[in-house]
Amino acid sequence: MISFELTKDQKALQKRLHSIALDKIRPYSLEIDAGRPGKIDKRFLEIIAQENLNAFIIPEEYGGMPLKWVTLSIVMEELGFGCAGFAGIYAQTLHAVSTILIGGSTIQKKTFLPLLLNPSGAVASFCLTEEKGGSDVSSFSTTAQLGEKGYYRLNGSKTPIINAGDAEFYVVWANTGTGRKGLAEINAFIIPRDTPGMGYGGLHDKPGLRVAPTATIFLEDLKIPSSNLVGPSGSGYLLFTQTIDRGRALVGSICVGLARAATELAIEFAKERHVRGRPIASNQGIGFTLAELATELEAARLLVWKACRRMDKHMDYTALSSMAKLFASELAVRATSQGMLILGQKGCKRPSLMDKLLRDAQMSRIIEGTSQVQKMIIATQL
Amino acid sequence: MKSYELIGQKLQKAREELGMSQKDLARRLGCSQASLSNYELGKRRLYLSDLHRISKILNKPITYFLESPGENAEENTRDKDDLHNFLKQQFMREIMLEAKDLTPMQRRSVLDYIKWQKSRLSGDMA
Ligand SMILES: Cc1cc2nc3c(=O)[nH]c(=O)nc-3n(C[C@H](O)[C@H](O)[C@H](O)COP(=O)(O)OP(=O)(O)OC[C@H]3O[C@@H](n4cnc5c(N)ncnc54)[C@H](O)[C@@H]3O)c2cc1C
């Protein structure tokens, strides 16, 4: 049976996270967005710990709670409503965890996952993209050579990486062969924080998602035991495609939250702002725009929920997940662009919420694969 | 070629090599024949746990499905062609005909003699 209604527990969770997003995340995020890029703000790590957010992504047997993708999408939407950058920090932790859950050994799960339940707040990092480009990730310059018995030596760099320098552990992709065997040589490794040979480049200054610091990680002759290899040798390609396929729907929820924030702001403003004696919302030109955005928001959320429901039911979700990410991130761009227009000069101030939403929305089209890449994936599934 | 098309083609090849029908493999995997057909066409992504099970049923390592075609198709074909041409030479035919009547021990001695000659040429003597 198809149900579009949330359960009582899900509604309570949504309400709780909505107030965290409004009262805690949003005020800090506006301040951080306006400042210089730095490490993850300590107050955000505290929110992660106090609200036990990482428990939603870590299964019960490792200290978390039952992993349900639809429930997680509700969490993500509210975090995205509060701040897409903060939600991005959380999403990268989810991706690193997801890879370990898909392919990791019981020992790896027991060793690394509980680190994220640290009472001071913790994050993990997902390191796939390299300087040469993120759309084609079928080959890497980063190498991992089997050296002394039972150890790999990793060399190369990854960029741009969210949570670089702040993470408890890093899931890093590297080529373990000569490049001749193609996808069969791609592997993922777990690198604990402060492993000798790991360095971080300067923090990037970027137009949007400024709250989520990004930097380059460098690996210089980094020695890692082969017990930190995730999954059977040669499984790295399958690991990251599945991780990202799942992650895309969740990034879709962040975008729904972001688009909702812009739409609500525009509706509120349009009802209050009077021009020639009446609220601008009563003009068809504005009312229709708001009606379209509200309709598309519902559609985007349903796409996300459908993709997540299929994940919960272990059904194929590749195309739906990409559709959810594509539609929701494009909607975020439309909603913030229309929102800025409706707010007029009030939206053009800095710092202002609409300005931040607009810049964050632009970046949301790029992370987890650009809109073109989503279309390419969907097309192969038709 | 797109990555999942490549994986799908390898899957089809491995299945056919074992003489297994799509229906049989789908039944053993617990999926529909249509899903398996989509995997083979690269229209549906195979995830690690699925490929793990497939690799066990078809008796191939996971890497078999991910290796670039050049690794185990073109190069193997080239190697096979080279060997085929070499065996067709008159000299090789003569050796094979003469060796036909030898006992396994005698054949072993011939092989050892060839290896000894080769090691003399490369100067790599024990
Ligand atoms: C803020 C931010 C944070 C990020 N954090 C992380 C992180 O933590 N970890 C991580 O691994 N990565 C991260 N990334 C990288 C991100 O996943 C990549 O930026 C993304 O995959 C796109 O890759 P690219 O930027 O290198 O673009 P490119 O691959 O260089 O592509 C450039 C343009 O060409 C287009 N294009 C490429 N190929 C085709 C094609 N065949 N047909 C049509 N168009 C095409 C693309 O759509 C894009 O518009 C982050 C990116 C950003 C912006």
Side-chain angles (χ1 to χ4, degrees), chain A residues 163-241:
Chain A
N163 299 345
D166 289 299
E168 291 300 317
F169 59 86
Y170 299 78
V171 176
V172 177
W173 271 262
N175 199 311
T176 48
T178 52
R180 288 177 65 221
K181 290 193 174 178
L183 305 178
E185 291 178 338
I186 300 175
N187 279 295
F189 296 87
I190 310 173
I191 304 181
R193 76 176 309 150
D194 301 329
T195 301
M198 183 172 237
Y200 312 101
L203 288 154
H204 304 155
D205 200 355
K206 52 191 189 300
L209 299 180
R210 292 173 63 79
V211 165
T214 46
T216 305
I217 67 159
F218 297 101
L219 310 161
E220 254 184 67
D221 226 18
L222 184 141
K223 191 176 164 190
I224 204 83
S226 47
S227 55
N228 284 27
L229 175 78
V230 188
S233 179
S235 62
Y237 180 78
L238 298 170
L239 281 172
F240 78 69
T241 49

Side-chain angles (χ1 to χ4, degrees), chain B residues 103-120:
Chain B
T103 63
M105 279 286 277
Q106 287 168 319
R107 284 186 199 165
R108 180 81 239 169
S109 310
V110 173
L111 193 64
D112 286 342
Y113 177 73
I114 295 172
K115 284 183 178 166
W116 177 74
Q117 280 290 353
K118 273 183 82 174
S119 66
R120 264 165 53 106

Side-chain angles (χ1 to χ4, degrees), chain A residues 31-52:
Chain A
E31 178 197 318
I32 298 161
D33 175 74
R36 303 264 330 135
K39 287 178 74 94
I40 297 180
D41 196 276
K42 276 216 164 63
R43 291 169 294 182
F44 281 147
L45 291 175
E46 278 163 23
I47 295 174
I48 291 173
Q50 281 162 9
E51 304 303 333
N52 207 9

Side-chain angles (χ1 to χ4, degrees), chain A residues 92 126 128-129 133-135 160-162 214 366-367 370 372 376:
Chain A
Q92 292 307 312
F126 176 85
L128 184 69
T129 315
S135 302
I161 301 299
I162 291 181
T214 46
I366 301 170
I367 55 165
T370 61
Q372 290 99 318
M376 279 158 58

